[in-house]
């Protein structure tokens, strides 16, 4: 005997009824609060980070980030690529400041090979490093506005970042993924007239900072939204491995560029200062980043005046075999400390590369810092901690 | 107090020792570690003026972290991860020419296992780096894990940031961190099988498609550089 | 002749004309002009390219946006409460269009000159809360629910300062009729200079603008739709022309409130120096009113593009600690002056 047939419309109705019941009645009214999935598709997550929050009303009871939607397995992939090929991959880690990703890896390889880039290459490397920092943090400042509801800032940021990207593109040929740094130097020299253009660009960056300070950082509502929100004490931040502006926003006066800059970058040739802020809240982190862009523009401005002449590439063998050894090189990247722990067995390819990316540590503090805040503050905290998803997931 | 030399099980290579000047600051750090945890320090390595490696027993792992953070003011937690020292069974560079699956060649004898700085006795090591933001000195700590018991104490009680690093290490290498508050996968799906960063975990993309990179070393057309010629045959 | 007189006097015919005016004329003319103007303002303020580049002088951006919405599929979430979900945008839009009923564009060019027009305006504007709540609940989405509840809390909280802000004008004019208020303003002088009520009621004008901003759920009070937090709040599940309804309602309500502000504080269609009973207001009135509306909505959009977003508790604090005390003080001042002058 045939089973009684149920029309499809009935089935759909039943399913939708079940779904509605389970979602509206059960999850909204569980005893330990409502579960709200922020992400993986959400404007505040800069990609595909998922944050599971348990809410009581709008107050956060607990909050657990779930990364991994973009995990590309770079640590495994680097084991099957020659050293020059690795830079192509690691460009994609923090995609807003790509050139800065290449530098620490190249420096680690140079350290193992015991070669040094010529002075001109070191200067240009530092300049490009700072340009990518500007391109990155300018967008952060705009995005911070967008996360807090002031959409205007993001348009200004995209407009003015383009000037910086143009300069990077003029040298490297790539706006986002330059793949320009080489073991022993750089791929090419600067194009003609670039230094003067970049100097003009730096005044635009200064103008942007002033504009944004008026529009956003100095705004009363912005300050009301960020001051005292997401306070991270220095010792907690350090034990979570927070770095860069996040930890300087907590009053720790530590900058790799100034304190123990790896050879191969020439930050000691410029006169600049490290900005810190004692409060440790979202405002101080944002403020420190804004000052960093200014300092960064100052560094570039000074280095442009004193770029030495000479070759941009040291004498390196055509086939790069890195001698046996281990090296860890970290630099002060736009998002914080980024380091590569390279283990070589004397082969064409690295034996093991541990990528220490800044956002991974920066975001791991989110469960600690979001306890008891409101949903809008979660967004503020995420925006002010500033992560790039590629930098978490690698 | 132990002598410095007694803690040094693996002397640095002779040529390095000859040219490298002594690094008093890092030697003093090693003696501090030795004074605190004694025989648990089983190997050290110094790159003068730059970096320091200390290998400790896994029983002293948590104690050392506590000592480093609270006594040596190494407050900044940098990273924690694992190393699989076994050479890859899929050919030296995983290149397609030596691919045992696609080309059906016999699996070759893997080269002998060699460990890195500060030595090592086992296939797996946990290594972590902590750093002092005051004195700007860092130390890379390593600990051997025996093959039959891949477990070690969790650092979360000392360095809260070790949480995610240990979760990643757990899923990528299969290590167990005793006392970890939330030992679930961080990146991989919960039912993922295998440990991707172990050397015997095949990278399937390389199994089905030859590695294009290996032929990339031919001299560029018009290149005046002959240095690449000797390696351009592969 | 008899026929003509009759048909223009018949009640249903007048009703049809009025419905056409409310439902077609206002959206097509005022909205399009206004949105184009505001798009231009927006694009210059935010350096957006669309309204500067699309079509001749960027005038076709609105068309492109409208066509985009109409092309999209009308989606209804599987677990939504379908009827309520579909009804919600219409309720919101209806509340908006009812606001246009009482706005006089000249002494006689008004859909319905209600004697208690101000009262009516606030009554119908609160209807949109119901639409928003319906949308928030019926979407069966947590973001929508949070947005809907935020909106309800916010709209109800800001009714009060808004009503209080108008009380000053009503006391000064001595009438609740919109047209009556315009006429009263036409006769208002400080010394020999005829001035609109904004001069005497300036704090109230600011309170009204702030409350309007909150009623419109626009930045800095856009928590109910906050893109970066709640994605789009109660609108999150809407697509196609139903989303367009919300979009239109947003602009149209901005218009309606700008019109009310223009009428109450800026003298509506009246131009100082021209006799209020002059026939020229049949033509001049709508133009003058439209200009004043644009002026006020320019202010509204200027705030919108400048300020970041408040948090929900900060919003309530702002209403209760600043807007309501200010308006209460100014009501007392106005009442004292009224009694003293009388």
């Amino acid at each position: 005997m045939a089973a009684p047939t149920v029309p499809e419309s009935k089935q759909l109705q039943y399913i939708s009824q079940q779904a509605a019941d389970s979602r509206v009645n059960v999850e909204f009214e569980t005893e330990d609060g409502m579960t709200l999935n922020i992400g993986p598709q959400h404007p505040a997550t800069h990609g595909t980070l998922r944050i599971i929050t348990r809410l009581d009303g709008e107050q956060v009871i607990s909050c657990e980030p779930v990364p991994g939607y973009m995990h590309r397995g770079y640590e495994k992939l680097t084991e099957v690529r020659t050293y020059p090929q690795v830079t192509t991959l690691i460009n994609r880690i923090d995609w807003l400041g790509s050139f800065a990703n290449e530098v620490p890896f190249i420096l680690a390889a140079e350290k193992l090979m015991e070669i040094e880039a010529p002075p001109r290459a070191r200067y240009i490397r530092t300049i490009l490093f700072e340009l990518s920092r500007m391109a990155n943090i300018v967008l952060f400042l705009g995005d911070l506005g967008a996360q807090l509801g002031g959409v205007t800032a993001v348009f200004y940021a995209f407009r003015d970042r383009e000037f910086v990207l143009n300069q990077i593109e003029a040298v490297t040929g790539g706006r986002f993924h330059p793949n320009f740094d080489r073991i022993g130097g750089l791929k090419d020299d600067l194009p003609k007239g670039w230094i003067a253009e970049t100097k003009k660009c730096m005044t635009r960056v200064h103008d942007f900072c002033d504009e944004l300070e008026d529009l956003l950082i100095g705004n009363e509502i912005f300050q009301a939204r960020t001051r005292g929100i997401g306070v991270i004490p220095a010792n907690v931040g350090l034990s979570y491995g927070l770095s860069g502006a996040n930890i300087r926003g907590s009053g720790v006066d530590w900058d790799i560029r100034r304190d123990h800059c790896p050879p191969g970058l020439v930050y000691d040739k410029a006169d600049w200062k490290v900005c810190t802020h004692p409060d440790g809240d979202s405002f101080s982190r944002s403020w420190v980043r804004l000052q960093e862009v200014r300092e960064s523009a100052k560094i570039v401005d000074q280095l442009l005046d004193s770029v030495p002449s000479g070759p941009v590439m040291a004498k390196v063998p055509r086939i790069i075999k890195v001698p046996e050894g281990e090296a860890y090189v970290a630099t002060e990247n736009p998002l914080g400390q980024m380091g590569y722990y390279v283990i070589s067995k004397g082969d064409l390819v690295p034996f093991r590369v541990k990528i220490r990316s800044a956002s991974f540590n920066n975001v791991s503090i989110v469960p600690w810092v979001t306890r008891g805040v409101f949903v809008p503050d979660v967004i503020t905290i995420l925006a002010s901690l500033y992560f790039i998803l590629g930098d978490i997931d690698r | 107090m132990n002598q410095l030399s007694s803690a040094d099980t693996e002397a640095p290579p002779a040529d390095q020792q000859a040219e490298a000047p002594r690094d008093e600051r890092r030697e003093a750090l090693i003696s501090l570690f030795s004074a605190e945890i004694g025989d648990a320090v089983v190997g050290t390595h110094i790159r003068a003026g730059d970096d320091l490696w200390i290998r400790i027993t896994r029983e002293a792992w948590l104690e050392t972290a506590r000592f480093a953070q609270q006594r040596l003011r190494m407050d900044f937690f940098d990273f924690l991860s694992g190393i699989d020292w076994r050479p890859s069974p899929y050919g030296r560079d995983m290149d397609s020419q030596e691919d045992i699956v696609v080309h059906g060649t016999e699996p070759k004898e893997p080269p002998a296992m060699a460990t890195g700085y500060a030595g090592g006795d086992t296939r797996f090591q946990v290594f972590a780096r902590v750093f002092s933001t005051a004195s700007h000195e860092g130390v890379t700590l390593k600990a051997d894990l025996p093959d039959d018991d891949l477990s070690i104490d969790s650092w979360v009680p000392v360095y809260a940031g070790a949480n995610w690093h240990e979760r990643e290490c757990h899923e990528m290498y299969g290590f167990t961190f005793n006392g970890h508050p939330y030992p679930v996968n961080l990146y991989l799906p919960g039912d993922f099988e295998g440990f991707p960063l172990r050397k015997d975990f095949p990278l399937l993309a390389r199994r089905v498609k030859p590695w294009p990179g290996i032929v990339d070393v031919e001299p560029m057309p018009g290149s005046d550089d002959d240095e690449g010629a000797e390696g351009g045959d592969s | 002749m008899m026929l003509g007189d009759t048909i223009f006097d018949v009640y249903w015919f007048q009703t049809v004309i009025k419905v056409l005016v409310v439902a077609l004329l206002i959206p097509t003319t005022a909205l399009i002009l206004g949105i184009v103007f505001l798009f231009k303002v927006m694009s210059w303020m935010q350096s957006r390219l669309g309204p500067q580049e699309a079509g001749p002088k960027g005038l076709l951006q609105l068309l492109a946006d409208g066509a985009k919405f109409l092309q999209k599929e009308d989606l209804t979430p599987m677990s939504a409460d379908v009827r309520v979900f579909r009804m919600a945008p219409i309720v919101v839009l209806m509340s908006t269009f009812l606001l246009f009923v009482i706005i006089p564009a000249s002494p006689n060019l008004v859909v319905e000159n209600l004697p208690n027009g101000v009262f009516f305006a606030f009554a119908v504007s609160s209807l949109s809360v119901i639409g928003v709540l319906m949308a928030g609940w019926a979407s069966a989405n947590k973001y929508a629910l949070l947005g809907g509840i935020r909106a309800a809390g916010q709209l109800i909280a800001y009714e009060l300062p808004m009503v209080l802000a108008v009380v000053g004008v009503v006391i000064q004019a001595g009438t609740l009729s919109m047209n009556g208020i315009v006429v009263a303003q036409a006769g208002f002088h400080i010394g020999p200079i005829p001035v609109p009520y904004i001069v005497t009621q300036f704090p109230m004008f600011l309170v009204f603008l702030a409350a309007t901003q909150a009623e419109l759920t626009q930045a800095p009070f856009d928590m109910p739709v906050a893109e970066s937090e709640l994605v789009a709040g109660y609108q999150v599940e809407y697509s196609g022309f139903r989303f367009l309804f919300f979009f239109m309602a947003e602009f149209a309500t901005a218009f309606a409130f700008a019109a009310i502000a223009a009428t109450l504080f800026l003298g509506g269609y009246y131009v100082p120096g021209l006799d209020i009973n002059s026939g020229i207001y049949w033509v001049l009135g709508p133009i003058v009113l439209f200009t004043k509306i644009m002026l006020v909505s320019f202010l509204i959009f200027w705030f919108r593009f400048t300020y970041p977003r408040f948090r929900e508790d900060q919003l309530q604090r702002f209403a209760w600690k600043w807007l309501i005390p200010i308006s209460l003080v100014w009501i007392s001042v106005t009442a004292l002056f009224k009694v003293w002058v009388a």
Side-chain angles (χ1 to χ4, degrees), chain C:
Chain C
M1 283 293 116
M2 275 307 285
L3 188 69
D5 285 341
T6 325
I7 199 161
F8 278 102
D9 288 339
V10 171
Y11 175 73
W12 65 262
F13 188 78
Q14 288 187 340
T15 312
V16 166
I17 296 279
K18 284 169 178 176
V19 165
L20 281 180
V21 166
V22 171
L24 288 176
L25 203 70
I26 293 170
T28 46
T29 56
L31 271 184
I32 289 175
L33 277 174
I35 292 177
V36 166
F37 169 72
L38 293 173
F39 267 30
K40 289 301 246 186
V41 169
M42 178 158 76
S43 76
W44 282 113
M45 281 186 187
Q46 299 195 315
S47 78
R48 290 188 191 223
L49 293 184
Q52 293 175 31
E53 303 283 337
K57 297 200 180 291
L59 292 175
L60 294 185
Q61 180 65 32
L62 182 63
L63 198 68
D65 276 356
K68 180 188 74 182
F69 282 125
L70 291 178
Q71 281 171 354
K72 290 193 174 170
E73 190 184 349
D74 177 30
L75 291 170
T76 309
M78 201 164 74
S79 47
D81 188 338
V82 178
R83 261 175 305 172
V84 181
F85 181 81
R86 297 211 170 132
M87 216 152 47
I90 300 166
V91 173
V92 173
L93 202 62
M94 189 185 71
S95 137
T96 302
F97 281 145
L98 281 178
L99 277 175
F100 286 104
V101 165
I102 42 104
I103 291 160
S106 84
N108 298 308
L109 195 59
V110 54
V111 177
E112 197 59 65
N113 190 10
L114 292 174
N116 48 3
V118 176
F119 181 77
F120 173 83
F122 293 117
V124 293
S125 80
S126 357
L127 276 183
S128 69
V129 181
I130 297 171
V132 166
L133 261 182
M134 281 162 70
W137 175 257
S139 300
N141 179 312
K142 290 170 199 168
Y143 288 112
L145 182 73
L146 277 176
I149 288 173
R150 278 186 185 188
Q154 171 176 336
L155 298 187
I156 291 166
Y158 274 75
E159 283 296 297
L160 195 54
M162 190 170 230
V163 171
L164 289 177
V166 172
V167 167
V169 173
V170 170
I171 291 176
Q172 205 176 345
T175 172
L176 277 170
S177 150
M178 297 292 268
N179 204 12
I181 289 174
V182 176
V183 173
Q185 276 185 79
F188 182 62
H189 298 267
I190 291 180
I193 312 156
V195 286
Y197 281 167
I198 187 172
V199 175
T200 51
Q201 301 286 341
F202 189 65
M204 297 300 227
F205 179 66
L206 296 182
V207 171
F208 188 84
L209 272 190
T212 304
Q213 209 82 8
E215 288 279 316
L216 294 172
T217 64
Q218 283 188 347
F221 304 105
D222 64 338
M223 294 75 102
V225 290
E227 297 102 53
S228 53
E229 297 160 21
L230 301 183
V231 195
Y234 57 88
Q235 305 168 355
V236 68
E237 294 288 0
Y238 285 91
S239 67
F241 70 96
R242 288 185 206 282
F243 183 80
L244 188 63
F245 276 10
F246 278 120
F247 184 77
M248 272 163 62
E250 191 182 319
F251 273 86
T253 319
F255 257 58
F257 277 112
I260 292 172
T263 309
L264 294 181
F265 294 99
L266 299 178
Y269 55 82
Y270 176 67
V271 187
L274 270 176
D275 181 18
I276 188 89
N277 295 317
S278 152
I280 197 169
Y281 277 113
W282 280 99
V283 180
L284 197 59
I287 298 170
V288 171
L289 182 68
F290 185 76
T291 316
K292 288 179 178 174
I293 291 175
M294 282 301 110
L295 206 66
V296 178
S297 31
F298 173 77
L299 283 180
I300 290 174
F301 278 74
W302 191 10
F303 293 142
R304 174 182 175 165
F305 298 136
T306 309
Y307 283 108
R309 183 186 307 132
F310 273 116
R311 212 170 52 215
E312 200 66 32
D313 55 325
Q314 292 167 338
L315 163 117
Q316 300 284 353
R317 202 174 300 141
F318 185 62
W320 289 100
K321 286 196 168 168
W322 292 98
L323 297 185
I324 292 176
I326 288 173
S327 39
L328 283 176
V329 166
W330 209 254
I331 287 172
S332 320
V333 171
T334 313
L336 283 176
F337 261 90
K338 184 87 178 171
V339 172
W340 179 55
V341 169

Side-chain angles (χ1 to χ4, degrees), chain B:
Chain B
M1 182 174 159
N2 286 337
Q3 289 295 311
L4 176 62
S5 56
S6 73
D8 238 344
T9 50
E10 193 195 54
D15 54 341
Q16 277 193 16
Q17 209 169 27
E19 71 188 50
R22 287 175 62 85
D23 187 337
E24 274 91 12
R25 279 166 69 199
R26 288 185 170 78
E27 280 172 13
L29 262 181
I30 292 177
S31 57
L32 280 173
F33 272 102
S34 305
E36 176 69 21
I37 53 176
D39 293 337
V41 175
V42 286
T44 60
H45 180 87
I46 294 176
R47 185 187 285 131
D50 181 44
D51 219 340
L52 169 66
W53 285 261
I54 297 180
R55 185 161 67 96
I56 53 180
T57 61
R58 77 177 164 143
E59 288 75 25
W61 184 242
L62 181 62
E63 189 195 341
T64 311
R66 194 164 279 140
F67 169 70
Q69 188 199 40
Q70 287 165 7
R71 303 283 297 284
L72 300 182
R73 300 266 172 241
M74 300 224 174
D75 41 5
F76 179 70
F77 171 77
D78 205 337
F79 65 84
L80 182 148
S81 191
I83 314 175
D84 179 0
W85 286 110
R86 179 186 174 187
S88 170
Y90 302 107
R92 187 193 61 185
D93 303 332
M94 281 200 178
D95 55 71
S96 59
Q97 280 79 356
E98 299 181 45
D99 195 305
I100 55 170
V101 177
V102 175
H103 299 283
T105 49
E106 286 298 305
K108 62 174 184 178
E109 197 63 32
M113 191 177 83
T115 51
Y117 290 167
D121 304 321
T122 55
R123 178 182 163 191
F124 290 110
Q125 274 186 340
V126 169
F127 74 122
R129 189 179 157 84
V130 292
F131 186 83
S132 166
T133 51
S135 66
H136 306 136
E137 278 171 343
V139 57
T140 306
L141 295 166
K142 290 184 175 180
D144 293 346
L145 296 186
D147 286 348
D148 53 348
D149 179 22
L150 296 174
S151 69
I152 196 164
D153 286 335
S154 168
W155 266 17
V156 176
V158 183
Y159 293 105
N163 188 328
W164 280 24
H165 290 263
E166 286 176 358
R167 280 170 68 184
E168 189 193 4
C169 194
H170 164 73
E171 66 186 346
M172 294 295 175
Y173 284 99
F175 301 163
T176 311
F177 290 91
N178 302 323
H180 190 282
Y182 190 51
V184 298
N185 282 0
L186 182 69
Y187 289 135
L188 300 173
D191 52 356
F192 191 89
E193 287 180 19
F195 302 106
L197 280 182
R198 288 189 182 180
K199 289 285 180 184
D200 52 5
F201 187 91
L203 186 65
L204 288 175
R206 287 282 169 277
R207 310 259 73 75
V208 296
K209 189 166 177 283
W211 183 26
I214 199 72
V215 298
D216 200 22
V217 290
E218 289 168 8
M220 294 287 284
S223 162
D224 55 344
D225 195 354
D226 315 339
E227 272 179 286
E230 78 254 27
D233 54 350
S234 55

